[in-house]
Amino acid sequence: MSFSGNVKEELAAHISSARHCQLAELAALLLFSADTCGRNAHLKLDTENEAVVRKCFTLLRKTFNIETVMQGKERLIPDDALEGKVIQALHLNGGERGRLSLTEPVNSLLIKNSCCARAYLRGAFLSVGSMSDPQKSYHLEFVCDEKAQAVQLQKILQEFQIEAKIVKRKKYDVVYLKEGSCIVDLLNVMGAHVSLMNLENLRIVKEMRNSVNRRVNCETANISKTVTAASRQIEDILLIRDKYGFENLPDNLRQMAQVRLEYPDAALKELGEYLEPSVGKSGVNHRLRRLSEIADKIRL
């Protein structure tokens, strides 16, 4: 199963103990996963997501003591009176008594408490959420049919200090997170603590791997730079030897030239230890620079 699927399985098993939180999550599940049918606009589940179906069954039974029934290929809330009760309790009437609305944002009364907002986000992710494989990239999104619902989701996330953006994708409005830390915070808010720990472990491994790669790249670049500099120094010294002669150099530069030829792969600090008397890295660098200036004059 994918990482996103594991998150949904964990969220589907999370049942709030408080009825007001159960109502908030049920509202999200129906708002994002339900549809209407028939002349009387009966409420039906319009999803193939088994986690959503199971969670809806559970919450309907716990909050209203009712069971959904199959009618053909559609699963409906069976009784008109009970259906009206559900719509009214979840404020899915768009502010008009008896009118079912699945296009408006959820009523603020249902999510006024922090715990209810968490439950609502949990239901929204179960219905329209998905997450990429964190080993490849960090991306979590909610795909909404209505712009107003996407904007409300974004505001709810902001209340938990989670920054999310909205992008238009064909006919959908997509609320998305790109930062690994924001996704971790959201998993915590929704109550997916096992998935959170798994993600944190993956993030640690990924960051360690990236750190090692950066260090290797840096060291490789330094080695390349050192080798290039040493090759240029040896080229200058050979030119001085053949065109000018070591005997015409001051003692300190002659000794420096001979040591560099004898130890072509040595670092500057190591070269300084071979000199008599030994000198520091800056002293070696100064002498090699003077040799380079002499070589440049010979080339003119």
Coordinates of all heavy atoms in Angstrom, one line a residue, residues 220-230 232:
T220 N 35.0 16.7 -3.2 CA 35.4 16.5 -4.6 C 35.8 17.8 -5.3 O 36.8 17.8 -6.0 CB 34.3 15.8 -5.4 OG1 33.9 14.6 -4.7 CG2 34.7 15.5 -6.8
A221 N 35.0 18.8 -5.1 CA 35.3 20.1 -5.7 C 36.7 20.6 -5.1 O 37.5 21.2 -5.9 CB 34.2 21.1 -5.4
N222 N 36.9 20.5 -3.8 CA 38.1 21.0 -3.2 C 39.3 20.2 -3.8 O 40.4 20.8 -4.0 CB 38.1 20.8 -1.7 CG 37.1 21.9 -1.1 OD1 36.9 22.9 -1.7 ND2 36.6 21.6 0.1
I223 N 39.2 18.9 -3.9 CA 40.2 18.0 -4.4 C 40.6 18.4 -5.9 O 41.7 18.6 -6.2 CB 39.9 16.5 -4.3 CG1 39.8 16.1 -2.9 CG2 40.9 15.7 -5.1 CD1 39.3 14.7 -2.7
S224 N 39.5 18.6 -6.6 CA 39.7 19.0 -8.0 C 40.4 20.4 -8.1 O 41.3 20.6 -8.9 CB 38.3 19.1 -8.7 OG 38.5 19.6 -10.1
K225 N 40.0 21.3 -7.2 CA 40.7 22.6 -7.2 C 42.1 22.5 -6.8 O 43.0 23.2 -7.4 CB 39.9 23.5 -6.2 CG 40.4 24.9 -6.1 CD 39.6 25.7 -5.2 CE 40.1 27.2 -5.1 NZ 39.3 28.0 -4.1
T226 N 42.4 21.6 -5.8 CA 43.8 21.4 -5.4 C 44.7 20.8 -6.5 O 45.8 21.3 -6.7 CB 43.8 20.5 -4.1 OG1 43.1 21.2 -3.1 CG2 45.3 20.3 -3.7
V227 N 44.1 19.8 -7.2 CA 44.8 19.1 -8.3 C 45.1 20.1 -9.4 O 46.2 20.1 -9.9 CB 44.0 17.9 -8.8 CG1 44.7 17.4 -10.0 CG2 44.0 16.8 -7.7
T228 N 44.1 20.9 -9.7 CA 44.3 21.9 -10.8 C 45.4 22.9 -10.5 O 46.2 23.2 -11.3 CB 43.0 22.6 -11.1 OG1 42.0 21.7 -11.5 CG2 43.1 23.7 -12.2
A229 N 45.4 23.4 -9.2 CA 46.3 24.4 -8.8 C 47.7 23.8 -8.8 O 48.7 24.4 -9.2 CB 46.0 24.9 -7.4
A230 N 47.9 22.5 -8.3 CA 49.2 21.8 -8.2 C 49.7 21.6 -9.7 O 50.9 21.8 -9.9 CB 49.0 20.5 -7.5
R232 N 49.1 23.5 -12.3 CA 49.6 24.8 -12.8 C 50.9 25.2 -12.2 O 51.8 25.7 -12.9 CB 48.5 25.8 -12.5 CG 48.8 27.2 -13.2 CD 47.6 28.1 -13.0 NE 47.3 28.4 -11.6 CZ 46.3 27.9 -10.9 NH1 45.4 27.2 -11.5 NH2 46.1 28.2 -9.6

